[in-house]
Amino acid sequence: PQETLCRGISIAGSVSATGGTFLVRGYDVYGVPMTQTVTLNGTTAVYSTKTFKWINTVTASAARSGATVTSNSNSPQSA
């Protein structure tokens, strides 16, 4: 059922946004709060290992310009 669909995210940096971490805060399919720290790897997209039903915030560890956060329905994550 659609109610149980969850998504992972990917974060990719540009040359000006390499390095650093992002803290993702949200909820799983059961409404349980969860967080994950995603560390940038240059300009290569980095995928979350958790899947989120709802995402509240994505916060950079420091001021970052040029980072892109994307919801992924087909990225390699576990539920």
Side-chain angles (χ1 to χ4, degrees):
Q2 187 172 356
E3 295 81 21
T4 60
L5 292 178
C6 292
R7 303 271 170 124
I9 64 165
S10 67
I11 301 176
S14 67
V15 173
S16 62
T18 57
T21 60
F22 287 80
L23 179 62
V24 183
R25 293 178 187 266
Y27 296 90
D28 69 9
V29 69
Y30 301 106
V32 176
M34 61 184 200
T35 62
Q36 181 175 5
T37 300
V38 178
T39 303
L40 287 181
N41 183 15
T43 57
T44 304
V46 179
Y47 296 96
S48 63
T49 55
K50 296 181 179 181
T51 54
F52 294 82
K53 179 68 176 181
W54 301 278
I55 294 176
N56 287 353
T57 61
V58 178
T59 308
S61 60
R64 298 276 172 220
S65 61
T68 303
V69 179
T70 307
S71 172
N72 295 288
S73 60
N74 57 356
S75 59
Q77 300 105 28
S78 60

